[in-house]
Amino acid sequence: MNTANNRGRKRKVNHQDVIQWRLQNKASKRKTAEHFGLSAAYVQELWRKAGMSYQSPVPSGGASFKKDWKAIADYRRENRVSVTETCRVFGVGRTTVTRACQEHGVNLEAHQAELSLKAKARQ
């Protein structure tokens, strides 16, 4: 049956088609949503309901996934850059960068203090 709820409303797309396409193309939520004319939130909901766990093969292709958190933390540690700069490089939010750094032992407080001292020294 191809209904969205018990009222008999038809689904916009077949959920299994969305999941299969994303797996086959190794696509992000955004790319999948664009392909099917859906919202990224709806694709995420389908993904969650199907019990899927997606891991991007490329760090910048989906940095919110745990596999990519190490890449974020390593980038920040090696390049000694701010949270904001890391957000720009990976195209993610501050929370993702913060969680990635916490997960992989990058000391944010000490690093931020060091960056602040460097900024003050430049002035």
Side-chain angles (χ1 to χ4, degrees), residues 4-20:
N5 58 31
N6 59 2
R7 294 184 204 131
R9 188 169 21 132
K10 292 191 177 191
R11 290 180 178 166
K12 192 171 185 178
V13 296
N14 182 327
H15 295 176
Q16 196 58 34
D17 290 345
V18 174
I19 292 166
Q20 287 302 318

Side-chain angles (χ1 to χ4, degrees), residues 4-86:
N5 58 31
N6 59 2
R7 294 184 204 131
R9 188 169 21 132
K10 292 191 177 191
R11 290 180 178 166
K12 192 171 185 178
V13 296
N14 182 327
H15 295 176
Q16 196 58 34
D17 290 345
V18 174
I19 292 166
Q20 287 302 318
W21 188 88
R22 185 173 183 202
L23 284 170
Q24 290 170 352
N25 294 286
K26 295 181 179 154
S28 67
K29 287 183 288 190
R30 185 179 55 81
K31 291 283 185 194
T32 305
E34 288 173 1
H35 179 78
F36 287 97
L38 306 169
S39 71
Y42 188 65
V43 171
Q44 176 63 33
E45 182 181 340
L46 295 179
W47 202 251
R48 182 186 51 78
K49 283 181 179 178
M52 302 299 288
S53 175
Y54 182 81
Q55 293 185 349
S56 172
V58 181
S60 61
S64 62
F65 301 112
K66 293 236 180 196
K67 180 179 179 184
D68 298 328
W69 283 14
K70 183 164 177 18
I72 291 171
D74 288 345
Y75 176 84
R76 183 142 186 247
R77 181 183 294 123
E78 291 165 9
N79 296 294
R80 321 267 310 150
V81 295
S82 68
V83 172
T84 305
E85 179 61 28
T86 307

